Amino acid sequence: MPGFLLHVGASVMCAHAGQAQPTAPNSRVLVNGLPTVALGAPYVVTGCAMPPPPSGNGPCVTAQFVTAATRVLSGGQPLLLFDSQALCAPTGTPLTILATQTRVLAT
């Protein structure tokens, strides 16, 4: 299914309102002047409100996307889309993409 490409300026949060940012942007493909993000790039999560053990199993520290574009690659890696799915560690909760650029679609 087509979706907008995810870029560094996108608003991405963990399920507990922590901000997520990619650690390895893909500067080979730019949208709105900002680098896109490929599937292999881990995300770092800051500000997660999930309490640490014994109250909870958090906070979210990192996240890894598990789905991406099937037909658009950069440097041999699929690019992330608005509907791509990710899991946070150590909580196992998803990341939520709230907003991204709306000019470039991919499948």
Side-chain angles (χ1 to χ4, degrees):
M1 179 176 286
F4 294 113
L5 284 179
L6 197 62
H7 69 309
V8 172
S11 178
V12 182
M13 298 178 82
C14 76
H16 315 103
Q19 294 290 323
Q21 289 293 320
T23 59
N26 174 27
S27 58
R28 293 182 67 130
V29 178
L30 304 177
V31 290
N32 291 344
L34 296 170
T36 54
V37 186
L39 179 64
Y43 271 65
V44 64
V45 181
T46 57
C48 178
M50 179 72 156
S55 300
N57 64 341
C60 298
V61 178
T62 62
Q64 184 66 51
F65 277 87
V66 293
T67 62
T70 56
R71 299 185 63 175
V72 179
L73 308 174
S74 176
Q77 290 287 319
L79 294 179
L80 297 179
L81 303 175
F82 185 75
D83 62 351
S84 294
Q85 303 296 309
L87 291 174
C88 294
T91 62
T93 57
L95 282 183
T96 303
I97 302 167
L98 301 174
T100 190
Q101 59 81 33
T102 55
R103 296 189 76 167
V104 182
L105 280 171
T107 21

